[in-house]
Amino acid sequence: MTKSELVKMIAIKTNLNNARAEDTLAAILDTITSELAAGNAIQLPGIGRFSVKNRAERTGRNPRTGETLTIPACKVVAFSLSKALKDAMNG
């Protein structure tokens, strides 16, 4: 599903016009992004949980040259699927 298809579905289900539905989606995505950037988790009932995890520094290898290099520590977003969504996907 593309963003425009998602906007269209939101507009239909909420009786909003496409512009308002797109603004609503943008606000939701901006909120999720800013909360995760601040290190906060987001729980969406029936969908799952987004959280921020710290990935430690690790050693990697350049596949082209075989040279060993250090991959710096970073933060990554983790997603845990809710039981309700898992059950819905698996029938």
Side-chain angles (χ1 to χ4, degrees):
M1 176 177 276
T2 65
K3 180 182 173 186
S4 61
E5 292 169 336
L6 182 58
V7 167
K8 196 177 292 184
M9 292 290 288
I10 292 169
I12 290 168
K13 290 185 182 261
T14 60
N15 293 322
L16 295 174
N17 62 33
N18 282 352
R20 294 286 308 250
E22 188 167 2
D23 290 344
T24 301
L25 179 60
I28 291 168
L29 295 176
D30 287 345
T31 302
I32 290 171
T33 301
S34 63
E35 286 299 307
L36 289 171
N40 300 324
I42 297 181
Q43 180 82 27
L44 298 174
I47 302 292
R49 176 183 164 94
F50 292 95
S51 60
V52 178
K53 300 206 180 226
N54 293 317
R55 182 176 286 166
E57 183 178 273
R58 61 196 190 280
T59 303
R61 187 173 301 274
N62 182 330
R64 188 173 297 169
T65 65
E67 176 186 6
T68 302
L69 53 108
T70 301
I71 301 170
C74 63
K75 293 181 181 181
V76 294
V77 175
F79 180 74
S80 300
L81 194 64
S82 75
K83 183 176 180 341
L85 184 55
K86 188 183 292 186
D87 291 344
M89 289 175 39
N90 293 311

